[in-house]
Amino acid sequence: MLFSLTRSRRLVPHWRLVLQCRNIKSENTARAAVLDSTISAFRSICGEDNVSVGEAVREQHGKDESVHRCCPPDVVVFPRCVEEVSGLAKICHKHHLPIIPFGTGTGLEGGVGAVKGGVSFSLRSMDQILDLHEEDFDVTVEPGVTRKALNAYLRDTGLWFPVDPGADASLCGMAATSASGTNAVRYGTMRENVLNLEVVLADGTIIHTAGKGRRPRKTSAGYNLTNLFVGSEGTLGIITKTTLRLFGIPEAMVSAVCSFPSIQAAVDSTVQILQSGVPIARIEFLDDVMIDACNRFSRLSYPVTPTLFLEFHGSERSVEEQVNTTGDIIQSNGGADFQWAQDTETRNRLWKARHDAWYAAQALRPGCKAYATDVCVPLSQLPQIIVETKKDLIENKLTGPIAGHVGDGNFHCLMVVDPNNPEEQHHVHLFSERLARRALAMDGTCTGEHGVGLGKRALLCEEMGPMAIQLMHCLKDTLDPNNLMNPGKVLLPRQL
Amino acid sequence: MLFSLTRSRRLVPHWRLVLQCRNIKSENTARAAVLDSTISAFRSICGEDNVSVGEAVREQHGKDESVHRCCPPDVVVFPRCVEEVSGLAKICHKHHLPIIPFGTGTGLEGGVGAVKGGVSFSLRSMDQILDLHEEDFDVTVEPGVTRKALNAYLRDTGLWFPVDPGADASLCGMAATSASGTNAVRYGTMRENVLNLEVVLADGTIIHTAGKGRRPRKTSAGYNLTNLFVGSEGTLGIITKTTLRLFGIPEAMVSAVCSFPSIQAAVDSTVQILQSGVPIARIEFLDDVMIDACNRFSRLSYPVTPTLFLEFHGSERSVEEQVNTTGDIIQSNGGADFQWAQDTETRNRLWKARHDAWYAAQALRPGCKAYATDVCVPLSQLPQIIVETKKDLIENKLTGPIAGHVGDGNFHCLMVVDPNNPEEQHHVHLFSERLARRALAMDGTCTGEHGVGLGKRALLCEEMGPMAIQLMHCLKDTLDPNNLMNPGKVLLPRQL
């Protein structure tokens, strides 16, 4: 393949060349020496208080919400503007220090761990909402702005940003991982809702993926750099600004909960609702184990059977009609106990129960941690994969309630794992690999929305095939020839 | 900037090295000699009848529907399957012959011209519709399948593919140019509707951008290769299969036409319709000159004032409500003569008039050719840019009726140019540059949906800035180090 040539361009830093025959401990010592000499340079850029080598701060920046072990960076910097990010990146580039962007740490695939040491760029101090254009339905945010903060800011404008992965993640972090969540079936994922990005590359260069300040709602101007960085998980550059599409807040929102006699009946209803053209905003599946956990955790009393949580957005009349059409479809599939929630309080309680599924799952086994699988398959494959997966869970005596964004074919097993039981962890790992391969065999993906991070690099190779993986390596080499940007994530090291 | 290193990787073919001090004519002669020896190899791959060096065939493949001059390729090949495309590409790669993919030739920016000679890959013989999955709302098509052919095929399934650029373009060609058109405001552009691509790279390697056969509705698996190729205009690879999202055909469709006292009133109505949450499917602006031309060409009698053509999709009740809300908004902005079309025949006549705008414009000056500008700006900037542009047209005595997809902020001046008047052509060129710069000054783009091709390469540099352009060059070098894929398009040669 022609572009394998690029590999030769990866430069090896001096201190690594010196050490290449020694062990990793020595390498760490050498890096520590380099770091010592750079700390003062970092401080001269972003101020004494915005550079930390304290153990607690480093620990906090070495892990996300996943089960991946904590890999603390050597130092954490807190830049306050893009110029500081660029200046800090230039120092890292000069000294060949890894750069790991850090948003809110709410990722689920170990994306922020400093597996090769280096410098964590915490972007929380860059928290300005810039350039809101109400008439144009767009806004630009810095990387410290979370989705809830943006929506609170927008409250009086009649606009909102609907992409909702559950956690109150930073919007630039959501762009970096190509996040989506419950509203994607109607409003799309980050891929469809990012108009422009400001990115600092590995050498400190600042680029704007759609040209500086540009925000047309569509464009055919050159290569789509925006979507090259969306989902790149910090391995190609640091996102320092995101321009987002906004939407009008619907006049009416109605939520509903409905129980089904079988998984097939719930999924058949989903397909028919989509086929009928109902512009459903959310359609979430919970299996019997998940709804039972939610009942216990959130003090609810839904029937313990496969369940759909639904939400309809639109004008009063349109919502009424959506609800009627959906009600007919659900009834014809044997759905029962169709429960409504129109007032904000009841709706919020309902969706809080759904968003708390993560904690509800963990509460099934006190002292345990949750690990979420994240496959996505074509809709028609959902019943089969869920049934097979539940059988697998039972056969292997694993706790893994299922919740899913079934309108997109995306679902999660929330595996509840004893962090002190390596054997169990190994079993869960094998289970999640079997699940991912089941999805791949059904034309699906090993990750619908959490990203690859550390844990799915081998699965990504199976999913994409060697040629597409080689192309991804070449893109990485082109943008980051020294492998400084969040090294060790997304792509496995190449076989030399 | 670190990735400028990649430039050194561009290899110069032997016959170019030999000739590098001679003139272009000699270069062409040398290429012709290389071609002579490769024709038999081409024929052994795709058959005697599927390789043509006939002048008429070459001429036909050297131009699209734009005013760019015809640049015939040296040879046209008609592969019948991806293996033949790959085999032919390998020969081109070996002999450093340019490769120009050819779909239907309906492009508008000179994308198919063989400006460096070489081999045109006409993909019309690969015209199979593959793997329709009705329940999953997806289908895979070969590059000879046009959007009308697909929709005819889908007619009895209750599904359709809504992206509609006007021309009956091939769907893979639409992916290559990131096309959109009238329905994009509701259903998105090709960027949002391509799930996977099969691509043959410059050296003949076949890749699948989302993994072979995969079609999840969303994914976070690695770098977004799909959207790297969507909009790359044949400069990174040849698209040989596209997997597309499909949509349910709405229960009801209603079209409407409405006249406005001013451009501002028409655009204000558009913004308010979008703000009100009406899920409008089409909202097309025609200025007074355009509606006058359409009246003449299609024997209609709409008032000669700024006009919106609208279309509503949904259930009967939902459409009725959309129409009522829209009617109120339009009335409050002084809109009049709100005319309805619900039956298919009247609707088709109405949209035929809109799609015939191109020919209606040309008919304003018999013997002339149309050239469409294609800027896109944030919605709020539309009135100002249209008013300034009309003033510019009048001051410079140019004929350029305006039609636009105003829901996206995208509009075209259909410039009617005398092909035998170089001075006029020059004036039109200067006008279109002024228009593009006006859009750039308003945070917009020089191309909303036609692509860069030949004519907008310099404007792309202004739009993106030097750093983003350099990154685009590096991506091109990585995927196509010998600059064989549709050379001379999208990016201007780099300043050495």
Side-chain angles (χ1 to χ4, degrees):
Chain A
M1 195 181 200
L2 57 94
F3 44 66
S4 59
L5 279 170
T6 47
R7 195 163 52 207
S8 62
R9 294 173 42 245
R10 184 170 284 185
L11 305 173
V12 180
H14 174 69
W15 57 266
R16 283 218 179 127
L17 278 175
V18 169
L19 290 165
Q20 65 188 181
C21 298
R22 300 189 200 164
N23 62 26
I24 288 175
K25 201 167 173 186
S26 308
E27 188 173 314
N28 285 346
T29 312
R31 198 179 61 237
V34 170
L35 272 164
D36 275 348
S37 71
T38 56
I39 297 280
S40 62
F42 290 154
R43 289 196 165 129
S44 74
I45 286 175
C46 60
E48 191 76 24
D49 296 341
N50 294 317
V51 178
S52 177
V53 289
E55 191 172 333
V57 173
R58 293 194 298 110
E59 290 275 331
Q60 186 204 334
H61 289 80
K63 63 176 173 10
D64 57 13
E65 293 189 358
S66 71
V67 291
H68 290 285
R69 73 183 175 84
C70 180
C71 294
D74 298 302
V75 55
V76 183
V77 293
F78 299 87
R80 293 159 299 184
C81 61
V82 64
E83 290 76 16
E84 290 186 3
V85 175
S86 171
L88 294 164
K90 281 176 183 161
I91 296 171
C92 292
H93 183 243
K94 184 175 166 195
H95 296 284
H96 291 97
L97 295 170
I99 294 169
I100 306 107
F102 189 97
T104 50
T106 47
L108 294 171
E109 287 297 343
V112 298
V115 291
K116 307 252 180 206
V119 185
S120 176
F121 280 55
S122 170
L123 302 159
R124 70 176 186 200
S125 306
M126 295 170 66
D127 61 354
Q128 297 300 299
I129 296 170
L130 310 164
D131 302 328
L132 169 62
H133 298 100
E134 294 183 37
E135 266 201 327
D136 300 325
F137 304 85
D138 67 59
V139 70
T140 300
V141 297
E142 289 191 333
V145 178
T146 67
R147 65 175 187 88
K148 285 187 182 169
L150 175 62
N151 281 326
Y153 180 88
L154 293 172
R155 196 167 289 144
D156 296 332
T157 64
L159 298 171
W160 71 315
F161 183 69
V163 181
D164 173 7
D168 188 22
S170 71
L171 292 151
C172 290
M174 285 165 62
T177 53
S178 191
S180 46
T182 55
N183 284 309
V185 64
R186 163 90 173 245
Y187 299 97
T189 73
M190 293 304 283
R191 287 186 175 198
E192 291 84 29
N193 288 299
V194 174
L195 295 174
N196 201 347
L197 295 171
E198 180 183 78
V199 180
V200 175
L201 301 178
D203 67 347
T205 303
I206 302 168
I207 68 159
H208 297 85
T209 56
K212 190 170 182 180
R214 311 218 166 277
R215 51 195 179 85
R217 290 178 73 74
K218 69 181 196 188
T219 174
S220 293
Y223 305 145
N224 187 340
L225 300 182
T226 303
N227 273 315
L228 182 60
F229 288 97
V230 170
S232 65
E233 304 187 34
T235 63
L236 301 181
I238 309 166
I239 297 173
T240 51
K241 258 182 215 158
T242 300
T243 303
L244 298 164
R245 274 176 192 266
L246 299 175
F247 294 80
I249 295 175
E251 182 191 359
M253 294 191 186
V254 170
S255 303
V257 179
C258 185
S259 309
F260 289 86
S262 66
I263 296 163
Q264 183 80 47
V267 175
D268 283 350
S269 300
T270 304
V271 171
Q272 289 163 28
I273 290 164
L274 294 173
Q275 275 172 339
S276 74
V278 169
I280 195 139
R282 288 169 159 168
I283 184 159
E284 296 286 300
F285 171 82
L286 292 85
D287 78 345
D288 52 342
V289 184
M290 188 77 254
I291 196 76
D292 190 34
C294 288
N295 278 345
R296 288 162 199 250
F297 187 81
S298 302
R299 295 184 190 176
L300 301 165
S301 54
Y302 294 117
V304 180
T305 65
T307 302
L308 288 180
F309 280 35
L310 307 111
E311 192 162 272
F312 307 92
H313 294 175
S315 66
E316 297 276 359
R317 269 185 66 185
S318 154
V319 164
E320 189 188 322
E321 193 193 18
Q322 293 178 44
V323 164
N324 288 340
T325 308
T326 302
D328 290 347
I329 290 169
I330 283 176
Q331 205 170 24
S332 74
N333 285 289
D337 298 303
F338 201 47
Q339 294 185 28
W340 295 107
Q342 186 147 18
D343 64 293
T344 309
E345 195 186 334
T346 320
R347 278 200 315 106
N348 285 349
R349 200 166 60 234
L350 188 156
W351 286 107
K352 185 164 184 334
R354 167 63 188 87
H355 279 334
D356 283 346
W358 179 261
Y359 305 104
Q362 285 193 102
L364 289 174
R365 292 180 64 195
C368 288
K369 282 200 71 169
Y371 163 73
T373 65
D374 176 40
V375 300
C376 185
V377 295
L379 289 180
S380 63
Q381 306 294 314
L382 265 179
Q384 190 189 340
I385 193 169
I386 293 179
V387 167
E388 286 180 16
T389 300
K390 284 181 75 68
K391 202 171 148 221
D392 188 341
L393 286 165
I394 291 165
E395 280 174 6
N396 289 283
K397 299 188 178 60
L398 294 170
T399 308
I402 293 175
H405 318 305
V406 281
D408 301 311
N410 181 208
F411 73 91
H412 313 292
C413 298
L414 303 181
M415 307 305 298
V416 195
V417 195
D418 180 350
N420 301 315
N421 185 339
E423 195 185 351
E424 186 181 273
Q425 283 173 41
H426 182 62
H427 277 297
V428 166
H429 175 72
L430 294 177
F431 164 81
S432 67
E433 283 198 342
R434 284 194 301 276
L435 171 55
R437 293 202 175 104
R438 212 172 279 137
L440 296 183
M442 294 179 183
D443 301 345
T445 173
C446 69
T447 173
E449 57 182 13
H450 295 172
V452 174
L454 273 178
K456 288 186 176 157
R457 294 174 298 168
L459 287 164
L460 182 71
C461 297
E462 293 178 36
E463 177 166 339
M464 299 300 301
M467 291 302 155
I469 288 288
Q470 197 170 335
L471 177 47
M472 289 187 190
H473 271 292
C474 290
L475 295 174
K476 168 74 173 171
D477 290 347
T478 300
L479 273 89
D480 179 23
N482 300 333
N483 192 26
L484 298 180
M485 289 304 315
N486 206 4
K489 311 298 166 60
V490 182
L491 297 170
L492 283 174
R494 256 202 283 225
Q495 305 285 321
L496 292 175
Chain B
M1 195 181 201
L2 56 96
F3 45 66
S4 58
L5 280 170
T6 49
R7 197 164 51 206
S8 61
R9 295 174 41 246
R10 184 170 285 185
L11 305 174
V12 180
H14 173 71
W15 56 266
R16 283 221 176 121
L17 278 174
V18 170
L19 292 164
Q20 67 187 177
C21 296
R22 301 188 198 165
N23 63 26
I24 289 176
K25 201 168 173 185
S26 309
E27 189 173 315
N28 287 345
T29 313
R31 200 180 58 238
V34 170
L35 272 165
D36 276 348
S37 71
T38 56
I39 297 280
S40 62
F42 290 154
R43 290 195 165 132
S44 73
I45 286 176
C46 60
E48 191 75 23
D49 296 341
N50 294 318
V51 178
S52 177
V53 289
E55 192 173 334
V57 173
R58 293 194 299 110
E59 290 276 330
Q60 186 203 333
H61 288 80
K63 63 175 172 11
D64 56 13
E65 293 188 358
S66 71
V67 290
H68 291 285
R69 73 183 175 86
C70 180
C71 294
D74 299 301
V75 56
V76 183
V77 292
F78 299 87
R80 295 160 297 184
C81 60
V82 65
E83 290 76 17
E84 289 186 4
V85 175
S86 170
L88 294 164
K90 281 176 184 161
I91 296 171
C92 292
H93 183 243
K94 184 176 167 192
H95 296 283
H96 294 278
L97 295 170
I99 295 169
I100 306 106
F102 189 97
T104 50
T106 47
L108 295 171
E109 287 298 342
V112 299
V115 291
K116 306 256 180 204
V119 185
S120 175
F121 281 54
S122 170
L123 301 160
R124 71 177 186 200
S125 305
M126 294 170 66
D127 61 354
Q128 296 300 299
I129 297 170
L130 310 164
D131 302 328
L132 169 62
H133 298 100
E134 296 183 37
E135 266 201 326
D136 300 326
F137 304 86
D138 67 59
V139 70
T140 299
V141 297
E142 289 192 334
V145 178
T146 68
R147 65 176 186 87
K148 284 186 184 172
L150 175 63
N151 281 326
Y153 180 87
L154 292 174
R155 196 168 287 143
D156 296 331
T157 65
L159 299 171
W160 72 315
F161 183 69
V163 181
D164 172 8
D168 188 22
S170 71
L171 293 152
C172 290
M174 286 166 61
T177 54
S178 191
S180 46
T182 53
N183 285 309
V185 64
R186 164 91 172 245
Y187 299 97
T189 73
M190 292 305 281
R191 287 185 175 199
E192 291 85 28
N193 287 299
V194 174
L195 296 174
N196 201 347
L197 295 170
E198 180 184 78
V199 180
V200 175
L201 301 178
D203 66 347
T205 303
I206 302 168
I207 67 158
H208 297 85
T209 56
K212 189 170 182 180
R214 312 217 165 278
R215 50 196 180 85
R217 290 177 74 76
K218 68 180 197 189
T219 174
S220 293
Y223 305 146
N224 187 339
L225 301 182
T226 303
N227 273 317
L228 182 61
F229 288 96
V230 170
S232 64
E233 303 188 34
T235 64
L236 301 181
I238 309 165
I239 297 174
T240 50
K241 258 183 215 156
T242 299
T243 303
L244 299 164
R245 273 175 193 267
L246 300 174
F247 294 80
I249 295 175
E251 182 192 1
M253 295 190 185
V254 170
S255 302
V257 179
C258 186
S259 308
F260 290 87
S262 66
I263 296 163
Q264 183 79 48
V267 175
D268 284 351
S269 300
T270 304
V271 171
Q272 288 162 27
I273 291 164
L274 294 174
Q275 275 173 337
S276 74
V278 170
I280 194 136
R282 289 169 157 168
I283 184 158
E284 297 285 301
F285 172 83
L286 292 84
D287 78 345
D288 52 343
V289 184
M290 188 76 257
I291 196 76
D292 190 34
C294 287
N295 278 344
R296 288 162 198 252
F297 187 80
S298 302
R299 296 185 189 175
L300 301 165
S301 55
Y302 293 118
V304 179
T305 66
T307 301
L308 289 180
F309 280 34
L310 307 111
E311 192 162 272
F312 308 92
H313 294 177
S315 65
E316 297 277 357
R317 270 185 66 185
S318 154
V319 163
E320 189 188 322
E321 192 192 19
Q322 293 178 44
V323 164
N324 288 340
T325 307
T326 302
D328 290 347
I329 290 169
I330 282 175
Q331 205 170 21
S332 74
N333 285 290
D337 298 303
F338 200 48
Q339 292 184 28
W340 296 108
Q342 187 148 16
D343 63 293
T344 309
E345 196 186 334
T346 321
R347 279 200 312 109
N348 285 349
R349 200 166 60 236
L350 187 155
W351 286 107
K352 185 164 183 338
R354 167 63 188 89
H355 279 333
D356 282 346
W358 179 261
Y359 305 103
Q362 284 193 104
L364 289 174
R365 292 180 64 195
C368 288
K369 282 200 70 170
Y371 163 74
T373 65
D374 176 38
V375 300
C376 185
V377 295
L379 289 179
S380 63
Q381 307 293 314
L382 265 178
Q384 189 188 340
I385 193 169
I386 293 178
V387 167
E388 286 180 17
T389 300
K390 283 181 75 69
K391 201 171 152 220
D392 187 343
L393 286 165
I394 291 165
E395 279 174 7
N396 289 284
K397 299 188 178 58
L398 294 169
T399 307
I402 292 174
H405 318 305
V406 280
D408 302 311
N410 181 208
F411 73 92
H412 314 291
C413 298
L414 304 181
M415 307 305 299
V416 194
V417 194
D418 181 349
N420 301 315
N421 185 339
E423 196 185 349
E424 186 181 271
Q425 285 173 38
H426 182 63
H427 278 297
V428 167
H429 175 72
L430 294 177
F431 163 81
S432 67
E433 283 197 342
R434 284 195 300 279
L435 171 55
R437 293 204 174 102
R438 212 172 280 137
L440 296 184
M442 294 179 183
D443 302 344
T445 173
C446 69
T447 173
E449 57 182 15
H450 295 171
V452 174
L454 272 176
K456 289 186 175 157
R457 294 174 299 168
L459 288 164
L460 182 70
C461 297
E462 294 178 35
E463 176 166 338
M464 299 300 303
M467 291 301 154
I469 288 288
Q470 197 170 335
L471 177 49
M472 289 187 189
H473 271 292
C474 290
L475 295 175
K476 168 75 172 168
D477 290 348
T478 299
L479 273 88
D480 179 23
N482 299 334
N483 192 24
L484 299 179
M485 288 305 315
N486 206 3
K489 311 298 167 58
V490 181
L491 297 170
L492 283 174
R494 258 203 282 226
Q495 306 285 321
L496 292 174

